[in-house]
Every structure is written in structure tokens, then in C-alpha cells.
Amino acid sequence: MATFELRGLIKAYGKTRVIHGIDLLIADGEFVVFVGPSGCGKSTTLRMIAGLEEVTGGEIRIGDRVVNEVDPKERNLAMVFQNYAIYPHMSVRQNIAFGLYTSPLSKADKARKVDEAGALLGLTPLLDRRPAALSGGQRQRVAIGRAMVRDPVGFLFDEPLSNLDAQLRAQMRIEIKDLHRRLGTTIAYVTHDQVEAMTMADRIVVMKDGHILQAAPPMEIYDNP
Ligand code: ADP
Ligand code: ADP
């Protein structure tokens, strides 16, 4: 588990600045949801935490380590993004195990971790199925399982539910919140859906034009809009 800290974080594409020096401390075990209009910089911020975008200025810390120059794989974060890539020719079990593909763990330890993740995500009866025989929500859980087995220090979610229908979204909101409660892991979550923010966040970060407008618990944000 770890804190995520942004210090004077800046991002420019060419000469255009899109993130204007933001400061934010996400506490160990905190669930923070980024909201704001399309183009305000939510996804770019998350991608910089992930290491998928270079930082133009300022610092990103994970725990007590500055990670600006650290390779994404070395950051030990789980990323669950909208276009979850699960492999159609592999079973659920194999898809989850793929997260441990290059892990030095023994075969038995890997199998145990996959079973544990499957159980935690309610996938046990589905472990031998192919993704084609799963619902959208179940597939999303496979993607979460694959990230989870790596024992990440935190999770990054970028609009993970936008491809799901309303009923599945409602169910997955509860499941992700529940997962957070059980794992106690730090989560940074991007969405444009206010209901997701309200129901899941410990704290909502409202962004606009590359700035943070507000960072507060849901009740405070929506009582004083
Ligand atoms: P959000 O996730 O809040 O919708 P983004 O972080 O995707 O916003 O984008 C923030 C701004 O950065 C937008 O103005 C967008 O057009 C711009 N942007 C994002 N990615 C690139 C890129 N690869 N090249 C140039 N501009 C980009
Ligand atoms: P590779 O060198 O093939 O990327 P890794 O052990 O780094 O080996 O990753 C194996 C697989 O685990 C990846 O292809 C991807 O499916 C999944 N994976 C890797 N990193 C992450 C991550 N941070 N979050 C979620 N899944 C990941």
C-alpha cells in the first residue's frame, strides 16, 4: 500500500500546457475519484501516475519514492482501463494468471493467488470459461483479477465502467467499493459519472482546464456546488 503525491505537476503537449501545476496528496488506502468536464486533464493526470505519459514539470511520488523517471512496470500499480484487454483464446484462469506471467513465484503459489483473486471477485465458478461466455461485468472483473494478483501498491481506474450497461455499472460500483474495503488499497479513479464519484469516493477531486477546483468528500462537494 502507498500514498500517491502530486507536487506542482505540469503537463504540456508541445507548447500547449494541459496540466497547470497541480498539488494533491492521496492518502494510503484512500479512494479518490477525479471528475470534471471532458478535456480537463483527468486521464492525463492518471496516465502520468501510471507512467504512461512523461511528466513535463513537478513531481510524482508513490510512497516516499519520486517516480518521474521510473518505468511503468516498476511502479507496481494495477491499471484497469476502459478497453480492458482480455485474451479471447484463454480461459478466465489463464487470463488472471497472465498478470503473473513474468513473476518469479512458483507454479503452486501462482495457482493459489489466481484462486484467491477468483474467489474474491466471485469468479470461482467461471474460471474455466472463455471470455466470450462472460458478461461485460464479469470480463471487467477478470481484468481487475489480472491486476490484483500482482499485489499492486495501488489501483488506477480510467473510466472502467463506461462500456457497461446501467445495471452492470450499478453492480460494479458496489463490487469495486467492496473490493476497496476488503483490500484497503489506494485507488485513483477517473470518471465523468457523478453517481460513480458520489457512491464510491472517499474524496472527489474536481478538475477544470488542467487545475484542481476542489478536493473534498462527496457530501461537501455536492452540498456546496
Ligand atoms: P479528460 O481525461 O479530462 O477528458 P485528457 O486528460 O484526456 O482530459 O486531456 C486533457 C487535454 O490534453 C485535452 O485538451 C486534450 O485534448 C489534450 N491531450 C490529451 N492527450 C493529448 C495528446 N496525446 N496530444 C495532444 N494533446 C493531448
Ligand atoms: P510483460 O513483459 O509481458 O509486460 P509483465 O509481467 O510486466 O510482462 O506483464 C504481464 C501481463 O500482466 C501484461 O501483459 C498485462 O496483461 C498484465 N499487466 C502488466 N502490468 C500490469 C498492470 N500494471 N496492471 C494490470 N495488468 C498488468
Side-chain angles (χ1 to χ4, degrees):
M1 258 51 86
T3 52
F4 301 159
E5 189 173 5
L6 315 179
R7 291 191 184 174
L9 186 67
I10 293 169
K11 178 68 185 179
Y13 290 106
K15 287 186 178 146
T16 311
R17 275 202 184 182
V18 298
I19 303 290
H20 298 274
I22 60 179
D23 296 295
L24 181 70
L25 175 62
I26 302 180
D28 193 357
E30 191 178 20
F31 193 148
V32 165
V33 177
F34 291 83
V35 299
S38 175
C40 70
K42 308 180 292 293
S43 191
T44 301
T45 301
L46 202 74
R47 292 171 60 80
M48 284 194 283
I49 299 173
L52 302 174
E53 285 297 342
E54 266 184 54
V55 167
T56 307
E59 244 173 41
I60 296 179
R61 289 172 178 258
I62 297 176
D64 50 15
R65 182 161 80 135
V66 177
V67 296
N68 290 34
E69 307 295 329
V70 174
D71 190 81
K73 283 182 192 166
E74 308 291 314
R75 297 186 187 198
N76 199 18
L77 297 171
M79 296 173 234
V80 183
F81 292 173
Q82 190 184 128
N83 299 315
Y84 43 86
I86 59 176
Y87 301 101
H89 60 287
M90 291 186 192
S91 67
V92 168
R93 186 191 304 282
Q94 289 166 327
N95 266 287
I96 296 175
F98 199 71
L100 295 170
Y101 187 60
T102 56
S103 154
L105 288 177
S106 72
K107 230 174 153 180
D109 282 342
K110 286 185 187 178
R112 184 181 46 77
K113 288 186 85 72
V114 172
D115 284 344
E116 280 172 9
L120 199 60
L121 294 166
L123 293 171
T124 304
L126 308 174
L127 285 175
D128 294 315
R129 283 204 197 170
R130 299 283 156 123
L134 301 179
S135 71
Q138 290 165 341
R139 279 182 218 172
Q140 191 57 297
R141 278 186 260 153
V142 175
I144 294 172
R146 191 174 60 198
M148 225 170 83
V149 289
R150 302 167 67 87
D151 291 329
V153 297
F155 278 78
L156 306 178
F157 288 90
D158 193 356
E159 307 248 1
L161 307 186
S162 16
N163 286 340
L164 305 181
D165 66 36
Q167 198 186 340
L168 270 176
R169 276 208 304 276
Q171 186 191 332
M172 288 300 293
R173 285 202 303 269
I174 295 166
E175 290 184 10
I176 292 173
K177 186 70 192 161
D178 196 43
L179 186 75
H180 173 246
R181 215 172 279 129
R182 280 181 287 166
L183 296 180
T185 186
T186 313
I187 297 183
Y189 187 110
V190 165
T191 184
H192 61 263
D193 182 329
Q194 283 201 1
V195 178
E196 280 176 38
M198 291 249 288
T199 53
M200 292 197 286
D202 293 326
R203 200 151 52 110
I204 296 176
V205 172
V206 184
M207 290 187 68
K208 192 178 178 203
D209 299 335
H211 296 277
I212 292 178
L213 284 188
Q214 253 185 310
M219 295 296 279
E220 290 174 34
I221 300 258
Y222 292 102
D223 280 352
N224 313 286

